Amino acid sequence: MIKQKDQLTTVTASNVRGGNGDIFRTVVFAEEELLDKATMVALITVPPGSSAGEHAHGPDAELYYIISGTLRLTDDGITKDLVAGDAVFTGGGASHSVENVSDKDASMLAVVIK
């Protein structure tokens, strides 16, 4: 399946999982397009000051690949600032959260795997 940029839809989510501000999710592939292998593939844009609150993954898992900017990620109790090229994988009941503590938008590819 090929999708071009103009076929993608962006939605705004506010106070995600108890976090702050708005986060923008551009759906690359939705669950019904992923052959029962994953539930989401999306480009996530996190403006300065916005966050997604802590949440657990199990039985599913999620991976983030940072595309631009700096995001403060807490994964299973470990907090690090991640930049373009960094990645995180959370599953098996572990939890994570993400926050943009910089003064510029940050973006990441997010994939939720079954």
Side-chain angles (χ1 to χ4, degrees), residues 3-102:
K3 282 188 145 179
Q4 294 184 290
K5 183 179 177 179
D6 63 352
Q7 295 174 293
L8 306 181
T9 303
T10 300
V11 296
T12 303
S14 299
N15 307 107
V16 175
R17 310 262 187 186
N20 297 315
D22 294 332
I23 292 178
F24 303 96
R25 181 177 67 228
T26 301
V27 178
V28 179
F29 292 104
E31 184 170 8
E32 60 274 7
E33 300 170 312
L34 294 167
L35 303 175
D36 205 32
K37 304 294 182 192
T39 60
M40 181 190 75
V41 177
L43 173 65
I44 308 293
T45 302
V46 184
S50 291
S51 63
E54 185 173 3
H55 59 283
H57 283 277
D60 68 353
E62 185 169 24
L63 68 89
Y64 291 155
Y65 179 80
I66 311 305
I67 296 170
S68 67
T70 303
L71 289 166
R72 181 161 294 155
L73 245 90
T74 300
D75 181 59
D76 210 19
I78 298 169
T79 301
K80 294 195 180 257
D81 288 347
L82 301 182
V83 297
D86 292 341
V88 64
F89 180 82
T90 303
S95 63
H96 64 178
S97 63
V98 62
E99 178 181 15
N100 184 343
V101 295
S102 76

